[in-house]
């Protein structure tokens, strides 16, 4: 029961962060490989992330990305053009 409460609370925090008026841009801190996952930093918090763009190119560390969606606690991102 405690785990479910924590999971709901975390999802609410994610929703608040992503639905706020602040920027939805984050920085890649662990390379996001093609078809794989990496990590980003958003407002000082680290999140798992996956690229929305299925390409042959990885998104390297220190790249600025835009959050376009989320699937639970996984954030879907694309590089800022």
């Amino acid at each position: 029961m405690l785990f479910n409460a924590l999971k709901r609370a975390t999802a609410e925090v994610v929703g608040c962060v992503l639905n706020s008026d602040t920027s939805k841009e984050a920085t890649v801190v662990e390379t996001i490989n093609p078809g794989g996952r990496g990590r980003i930093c958003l407002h000082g918090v680290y999140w798992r992330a996956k690229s929305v763009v299925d390409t042959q190119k990885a998104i390297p560390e220190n790249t600025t990305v835009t959050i376009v969606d989320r699937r639970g606690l996984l954030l879907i991102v694309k590089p800022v053009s």
Side-chain angles (χ1 to χ4, degrees):
M1 182 163 359
L2 179 61
F3 176 74
N4 288 336
L6 180 60
K7 189 174 174 182
R8 278 193 305 276
T10 303
E12 288 176 18
V13 168
V14 172
C16 289
V17 168
L18 297 182
N19 294 326
S20 68
D21 293 332
T22 60
S23 172
K24 293 182 183 179
E25 290 186 352
T27 303
V28 176
V29 295
E30 179 184 300
T31 300
I32 303 171
N33 292 311
R37 296 177 179 172
R39 292 200 179 272
I40 62 171
C41 184
L42 172 67
H43 302 295
V45 180
Y46 295 92
W47 302 94
R48 289 184 317 133
K50 181 177 180 175
S51 176
V52 71
V53 182
D54 258 345
T55 65
Q56 298 298 323
K57 290 186 175 184
I59 303 174
E61 291 180 18
N62 299 316
T63 300
T64 301
V65 292
T66 300
I67 298 163
V68 296
D69 196 9
R70 71 177 165 97
R71 295 184 189 139
L73 298 178
L74 177 69
L75 302 182
I76 311 302
V77 300
K78 68 177 183 178
V80 172
S81 323

